[in-house]
Amino acid sequence: MDDLIAELIDLAESEWPGWLTTHASRLSLETVARLKQWSDQFIKSDSARADRISWAAIAVAEQLPTEPIARALAYWARGNWAAYRRPEEAFDLYQKALVVYEQIGDSEAIARLSSNLIFVCTTLGRFADALTFAERAQRLLEEIATVPVIYRVKFGMNYSLLLYECGHYQKALDVNEKMIALARNHGLQEEWAELQVNQAITLAAMERLTECEQLLIASRQLLEQLTPKPVLTIARIDLNLGDYYSATANLSAALNHFRDASKGFQEENVAMDYATVLLYEANLLKRLGVLREARRAYDRAYQAFREYDLTQYAAQALLAGASVRREINPADPELPEMLNRACDMFTNLQLPIWRNETLLEQARLAFLLGNYAQAEALLTTAWSADTVLHLTIAHQLLWGRLRMAQGDEADALTAFTSALTHSQQGAQIWSEREALVALGNLLAARQPDSAIEYIQDAVRIDELMRMELSVAELTADFQSRRNDALPLLAKLERQAGHLQAALQTVWRWKGGALIDLIRRYDGYTDVNPTIAQLQQRIAVLRWELERKQRDDKSKSEERLDELRRQIRNLEAQAYHERRYHIHKPGQSDVSIYNWQAVLSKLDADCLIEYVSIDDELYAWSLTRNGDCTVTTLGSTSTISELLQRLELKNLNALRLNDEQRQQRGETLIRDAGVLLQRLYRTLIEPLPIPVEGKLLIAPCAPIHLAPFAALWDGNNYLMERYLIEQIPTGALLSIPVPAGPSGPALVIGASTDGMLAAVQREINAIASILPDAQIYLDDPAALTALHNLTTAPRILHFSAHTTFDEEPTIFAGLHLADRTFTIEECYRLNLAGTELVTLNGCTTAYGMESGGALIAFQSAFLIAGAQRLLVSLGPIKDELAAGLMAHFYQNLMQTQSPAVALRQTQHDLLHDPALAHPAIWSAFAVMRR
């Protein structure tokens, strides 16, 4: 029998009719039954094969007109395949099969088909029908003692899912627990794993979120060991894990699981889920600030939805992709056509809310491009006023910005005020914040005092809402989109002559998110149990919303809107609870940014805090004796151009070998010196600072990678007059450095399969200087050792190739022996007690130019507890870097101060003709906490 079936399956479908005629005498009901067994076996491990076998079952059944059960059995087989992929089709097929079994009175078949229909009806949102089938299946299974255990377990799986969807969580939990015990006792491992998933989802709905993760992970691990591997079930678990991590703000873990899920769904040809997960992946990438990769993911999702004729989802992917493209480049020539297409699709589908969403995006684009008449037409004649609240508010905000740009300040004021009122009434906190900033911008020139009040209210919302965000959200979504209030406030305070207040605002701007994370990791922030409970409830509802948007085929907008309303209300409760909590006596963090508190910790002769506002670079200078001044330094665009020219000069010098550099040394140094002197005259000369001593420099974009040590005054380099350290922001001085025991140095090197030949020499040289160090060279065990440290190393040294994306992200990192060690992983290290982290790779100061400077090695290691870092400011050859590191560690052993050791190393290299070019000796800087 199996040989006969294998022969049929291996044929092309065009050859089936001839084969069926030839073998007609050998075909029977048993053949169809065996085909169903084969199809069921491959449904979750080889979808394409199961698809083909189920069609073969129908083809064979059609050759047996006198066997009505044959066709019913074939429909059953095909329905089992369609249940996970095309539930409507599965419902029709099961119903056809059920009619036949009802006619012949096969109670077991009726019970099993009714059980399957519970799952399909639940998936389609037909809960009344599902309950009817559940009652029927349960009654029959109780009457028939001979039904195999596996079918009783599968009924329990489907019934518990139905109970969950109907909100009967405790009943669902009870059924799950009973079925889990039954599956475990009878060795039904795959069913046991799927029941664990149901259990996790139910526990989440009961706000027992902490129990969910391990259930899902344990289920996945079990299924990975089965043969054949149930790829589809594993993909669904990955999807649930992605939902869980997304709801709990572990965005990188969510992204990894969504990517694994998409691979599984693609392999199993589950079109809807594959395309949906692509959309989730794109949304997460956007949330993480990885816009170019998000754009590509949206494009893939759109193509997948179009291929499977899922027009509504295709239009949503198209709109989201267009929004990302606008953020990257408003002049993208494809944008207008994409938005017109999306608008037409939503119009044809009669989806007015999505059409309005698209009109808003078109109006934003027109506004950015200066096409005010087009934007006005889109917001008036094309706009449907009957829409949801958040779109109404977004419309009012954009209309206000348009009227402000057109010079109608009165109309703009009306629009912004209306947006603020609606936001406050509807608990739309982020919209309230946007309205406050808009009012601040509008009134800045004519009513600066009122503007300051509005901006201060917006800042309070920022600082309160920031407390609930994860590392990933702080580094991406929050910093890139919520970083406009404090610069405006600092500008207004400076214009009013409140220099110290403005400096404190600059510190809150540059250091707020970073300090929040440091305090969170160092344990300085109290956990408010009320807020923690609200956050857990919010995470539960977010997870439920994600699942219902994906799995509820009925797509009841009323149910989804109710979930969104509940989330907004809980967010508002959490916001007001935080507001109350932070204003209780002893809870305020304002003192962190007090300039006198910073001054009391200043161990340099002068702190220079750079900040860029509206393309103008400013420098606040705070001396040890308390003098505070602000200096306007010029256009950041001009300074950025100077730095780009210097970078090209340095790259040209670094490309030469030692002999070539010595031959052309004076010319190369003179050419670089011209630019270094211009930078000195711009960045240092105008400042009222001492003529020598110690400087603590807090750079900003675009000067994070500026080689301050090499700035040239015409007679001396800056490092010859000053001992220089850098800090992300002076506000960090008010945060205590975490103390802790420290152990031997940990030195990790990776030569990238021998491409970085000097790494081995560098590691060997460091090992001779630090004889007690733990050394890992091209060793995959290095990261395990790092993550498993019980005591922080006194010194942590990395020498490796850097892996950066085209835009700053927490997934950038150092390429070690077996994989990339990402910036995100740095946050999870325990480095309390580590005095120095050295990052020897190209441009390991990467990421500081990003909003808030959190997508950077420096921030991650400082948050993890390191006291100081040695980072590179640009590309450098591994041979040159290796020599510099040997000099540095020799000096460090004598001085015990990284800043002093680096300065001495720079002096040593400066006086070596082969190494005297600033691109070499000023390639590194010391960053402190």
Side-chain angles (χ1 to χ4, degrees):
M1 174 69 71
D2 285 353
D3 291 343
L4 184 70
I5 291 173
E7 185 179 326
L8 171 61
I9 299 305
D10 290 340
L11 288 175
E13 288 187 34
S14 60
E15 299 179 43
W16 283 5
W19 185 94
L20 291 168
T21 301
T22 302
H23 297 85
S25 62
R26 300 178 64 186
L27 303 179
S28 65
L29 178 61
E30 185 184 355
T31 311
V32 180
R34 190 63 179 144
L35 282 165
K36 179 179 179 297
Q37 289 176 355
W38 277 34
S39 176
D40 288 350
Q41 177 184 348
F42 292 111
I43 280 173
K44 297 177 184 177
S45 59
D46 190 340
S47 176
R49 187 169 178 78
D51 180 19
R52 185 174 175 78
I53 295 171
S54 65
W55 279 122
I58 291 175
V60 171
E62 289 173 347
Q63 304 301 310
L64 304 169
T66 61
E67 289 278 10
I69 297 178
R71 183 163 294 191
L73 204 56
Y75 289 153
W76 192 344
R78 184 64 188 169
N80 287 351
W81 179 89
Y84 293 98
R85 300 160 181 83
R86 302 171 188 169
E88 286 281 6
E89 180 184 330
F91 179 83
D92 293 338
L93 289 163
Y94 285 149
Q95 288 279 49
K96 289 178 181 178
L98 193 58
V99 168
V100 175
Y101 286 108
E102 287 172 340
Q103 290 172 350
I104 64 173
D106 188 335
S107 296
E108 181 180 324
I110 294 169
R112 289 169 57 189
L113 279 164
S114 296
S115 176
N116 291 3
L117 280 161
I118 298 170
F119 174 77
V120 170
C121 289
T122 302
T123 302
L124 293 169
R126 301 174 188 172
F127 302 126
D129 290 341
L131 285 167
T132 300
F133 286 118
E135 291 169 3
R136 187 180 195 186
Q138 188 171 30
R139 175 176 51 80
L140 290 171
L141 289 171
E142 288 172 354
E143 292 173 359
I144 310 168
T146 57
V147 174
V149 170
I150 188 171
Y151 301 123
R152 297 183 186 277
V153 170
K154 287 188 174 181
F155 163 76
M157 288 168 54
N158 295 334
Y159 186 42
S160 68
L161 181 64
L162 170 61
L163 290 170
Y164 161 80
E165 291 291 352
C166 292
H168 304 311
Y169 302 133
Q170 188 57 56
K171 285 185 179 179
L173 209 60
D174 293 342
V175 172
N176 266 325
E177 288 173 352
K178 183 178 178 181
M179 291 301 113
I180 285 171
L182 194 60
R184 187 189 301 116
N185 291 338
H186 288 80
L188 302 174
Q189 292 182 304
E190 184 173 346
E191 288 72 21
W192 175 84
E194 291 193 42
L195 283 160
Q196 292 273 85
V197 174
N198 284 3
Q199 192 82 328
I201 295 167
T202 308
L203 287 168
M206 298 175 74
E207 299 186 17
R208 293 164 60 181
L209 205 60
T210 54
E211 301 173 51
C212 301
E213 182 181 11
Q214 274 312 115
L215 282 172
L216 293 170
I217 291 173
S219 301
R220 194 188 191 287
Q221 289 172 342
L222 173 68
L223 294 175
E224 283 282 357
Q225 298 168 11
L226 299 183
T227 304
K229 187 185 296 184
V231 177
L232 181 56
T233 307
I234 292 171
R236 291 191 179 281
I237 293 175
D238 278 321
L239 183 54
N240 278 297
L241 279 166
D243 286 341
Y244 168 81
Y245 288 126
S246 181
T248 54
N250 187 346
L251 303 189
S252 59
L255 183 62
N256 290 333
H257 281 286
F258 282 147
R259 284 173 168 170
D260 287 341
S262 69
K263 292 174 187 174
F265 289 134
Q266 185 176 31
E267 182 179 333
E268 291 301 298
N269 195 30
V270 186
M272 177 68 179
D273 286 339
Y274 168 65
T276 301
V277 175
L278 283 178
L279 191 59
Y280 287 0
E281 180 183 333
N283 290 340
L284 268 184
L285 288 166
K286 180 181 179 182
R287 198 168 157 193
L288 286 163
V290 194
L291 297 185
R292 287 173 176 80
E293 199 171 336
R295 179 191 64 196
R296 291 189 283 269
Y298 280 125
D299 289 346
R300 291 198 305 274
Y302 170 72
Q303 294 300 332
F305 284 127
R306 290 289 287 175
E307 181 180 349
Y308 299 113
D309 201 27
L310 300 166
T311 308
Q312 177 179 343
Y313 300 102
Q316 290 173 10
L318 188 64
L319 174 59
S323 174
V324 166
R325 284 173 179 262
R326 171 181 55 78
E327 289 190 51
I328 296 170
N329 175 22
D332 186 327
E334 296 183 36
L335 266 175
E337 193 277 330
M338 289 175 68
L339 289 169
N340 287 336
R341 201 184 330 149
C343 192
D344 289 343
M345 292 165 78
F346 288 129
T347 301
N348 294 335
L349 290 166
Q350 297 183 347
L351 295 171
I353 291 176
W354 281 103
R355 180 178 178 274
N356 269 356
E357 192 90 63
T358 311
L359 290 171
L360 271 177
E361 185 59 34
Q362 288 177 306
R364 289 187 192 101
L365 178 64
F367 176 74
L368 284 173
L369 296 176
N371 299 328
Y372 296 157
Q374 182 187 0
E376 185 171 343
L378 288 163
L379 294 174
T380 52
T381 57
W383 180 258
S384 172
D386 183 18
T387 192
V388 292
L389 180 61
H390 77 273
L391 290 183
T392 297
I393 296 169
H395 178 274
Q396 290 168 338
L397 288 169
L398 185 55
W399 179 256
R401 293 188 184 101
L402 175 63
R403 301 305 287 159
M404 184 176 168
Q406 292 172 323
D408 190 340
E409 293 187 7
D411 202 0
L413 181 62
T414 300
F416 292 148
T417 304
S418 181
L420 179 60
T421 302
H422 281 116
S423 299
Q424 291 170 335
Q425 291 173 346
Q428 302 269 350
I429 297 170
W430 285 123
S431 296
E432 178 184 348
R433 182 253 184 222
E434 295 300 314
L436 289 166
V437 173
L439 285 164
N441 271 301
L442 177 66
L443 300 175
R446 296 179 184 273
Q447 302 175 44
D449 291 342
S450 297
I452 287 174
E453 289 180 11
Y454 281 123
I455 296 300
Q456 286 174 337
D457 286 343
V459 169
R460 275 191 284 272
I461 291 177
D462 282 349
E463 293 180 343
L464 289 167
M465 295 302 287
R466 193 171 63 212
M467 293 178 186
E468 74 172 76
L469 301 180
S470 69
V471 172
E473 288 173 310
L474 279 171
T475 55
D477 184 72
F478 183 89
Q479 285 305 116
S480 62
R481 293 162 175 77
R482 316 293 179 194
N483 213 7
D484 55 351
L486 284 167
L488 177 57
L489 182 58
K491 179 180 178 179
L492 292 170
E493 289 171 336
R494 186 192 66 83
Q495 289 173 347
H498 307 314
L499 299 188
Q500 293 172 358
L503 176 57
Q504 291 170 178
T505 298
V506 167
W507 284 337
R508 291 165 73 188
W509 173 21
K510 293 177 66 178
L514 178 58
I515 288 172
D516 278 358
L517 283 174
I518 287 176
R519 289 170 62 80
R520 193 183 303 179
Y521 277 77
D522 290 354
Y524 288 111
T525 52
D526 295 329
V527 177
N528 182 309
T530 302
I531 295 173
Q533 186 178 32
L534 287 168
Q535 288 174 332
Q536 177 157 313
R537 291 173 63 191
I538 291 167
V540 167
L541 290 176
R542 283 175 178 166
W543 190 3
E544 185 177 355
L545 179 62
E546 290 292 338
R547 292 190 67 255
K548 289 197 181 302
Q549 287 180 138
R550 177 183 70 248
D551 296 338
D552 184 357
K553 306 304 178 186
S554 66
K555 290 293 181 295
S556 170
E557 281 301 321
E558 291 80 7
R559 295 178 67 200
L560 299 179
D561 284 342
E562 174 59 20
L563 281 172
R564 296 185 187 105
R565 186 191 64 78
Q566 291 178 37
I567 291 169
R568 284 197 304 272
N569 287 342
L570 287 172
E571 287 175 338
Q573 289 180 47
Y575 165 74
H576 291 297
E577 179 65 27
R578 277 191 296 271
R579 192 168 188 167
Y580 166 75
H581 180 70
I582 206 167
H583 286 99
K584 287 166 63 178
Q587 296 296 332
S588 176
D589 285 339
V590 174
S591 61
I592 295 171
Y593 306 106
N594 183 282
W595 74 277
Q596 290 178 327
V598 172
L599 181 64
S600 68
K601 302 291 185 179
L602 182 61
D603 58 356
D605 293 293
C606 185
L607 165 69
I608 305 173
E609 187 85 44
Y610 291 100
V611 63
S612 175
I613 304 175
D614 294 339
D615 195 44
E616 196 75 31
L617 187 68
Y618 301 90
W620 266 262
S621 304
L622 182 63
T623 62
R624 199 190 293 267
N625 61 11
D627 293 332
C628 180
T629 59
V630 61
T631 307
T632 304
L633 300 177
S635 164
T636 54
S637 302
T638 302
I639 296 165
S640 182
E641 183 184 342
L642 279 175
L643 287 167
Q644 290 170 13
R645 290 170 59 189
L646 177 63
E647 182 182 9
L648 288 175
K649 294 283 187 187
N650 288 344
L651 287 173
N652 288 334
L654 291 171
R655 289 191 183 101
L656 304 177
N657 58 37
D658 290 350
E659 183 180 349
Q660 290 171 323
R661 271 197 306 275
Q662 289 191 59
Q663 290 174 351
R664 300 173 54 189
E666 290 186 9
T667 302
L668 293 169
I669 292 171
R670 184 174 61 250
D671 290 346
V674 172
L675 295 171
L676 291 166
Q677 187 169 18
R678 288 186 62 184
L679 286 167
Y680 173 85
R681 288 173 176 169
T682 303
L683 300 176
I684 299 295
E685 190 174 69
L687 307 182
I689 60 176
V691 294
E692 60 182 17
K694 181 178 179 181
L695 296 181
L696 182 59
I697 297 175
C700 67
I703 60 172
H704 282 299
L705 303 180
F708 281 96
L711 299 191
W712 173 249
D713 66 5
N715 295 304
N716 299 104
Y717 291 108
L718 199 65
M719 65 87 181
E720 294 180 283
R721 291 168 47 198
Y722 299 98
L723 178 65
I724 302 170
E725 284 189 309
Q726 294 188 22
I727 191 168
T729 173
L732 280 184
L733 293 174
S734 64
I735 305 295
V737 176
S742 60
L746 178 59
V747 179
I748 299 174
S751 65
T752 316
D753 298 326
M755 291 176 60
L756 304 177
V759 168
Q760 184 168 358
R761 295 195 298 275
E762 174 187 334
I763 300 301
N764 291 338
I766 295 172
S768 67
I769 300 168
L770 306 174
D772 63 340
Q774 293 178 272
I775 305 295
Y776 292 88
L777 178 61
D778 293 326
D779 188 343
L783 282 181
T784 302
L786 182 60
H787 284 297
N788 292 339
L789 285 171
T790 55
T791 303
R794 186 173 67 86
I795 295 172
L796 175 59
H797 179 98
F798 289 96
S799 182
H801 173 66
T802 44
T803 302
F804 296 140
D805 301 319
E806 54 191 327
E807 51 203 340
T809 79
I810 54 175
F811 302 119
L814 296 167
H815 187 71
L816 300 185
D818 58 338
R819 67 176 180 85
T820 298
F821 175 59
T822 65
I823 290 173
E824 186 215 11
E825 287 180 85
C826 301
Y827 287 103
R828 301 200 295 268
L829 298 176
N830 177 16
L831 299 180
T834 297
E835 297 172 11
L836 174 68
V837 174
T838 298
L839 301 173
N840 182 14
C842 291
T843 322
T844 52
Y846 164 92
M848 290 302 289
E849 70 279 9
S850 62
L854 291 186
I855 312 176
F857 280 118
Q858 297 97 304
S859 303
F861 279 113
L862 292 176
I863 287 168
Q867 298 172 23
R868 283 174 170 77
L869 291 91
L870 183 65
V871 294
S872 62
L873 302 173
I876 185 168
K877 285 186 176 181
D878 55 315
E879 300 93 342
L880 297 171
L884 187 150
M885 287 297 145
H887 275 79
F888 170 78
Y889 279 106
Q890 287 169 348
N891 289 325
L892 182 64
M893 292 304 97
Q894 296 172 14
T895 66
Q896 300 302 311
S897 163
V900 173
L902 179 62
R903 187 186 193 190
Q904 185 57 54
T905 301
Q906 290 169 340
H907 274 287
D908 295 343
L909 300 186
L910 176 60
H911 293 98
D912 182 336
L915 304 172
H917 195 284
I920 300 171
W921 59 260
S922 70
F924 287 82
V926 170
M927 177 75 69
R928 61 161 291 172
R929 176 162 163 176

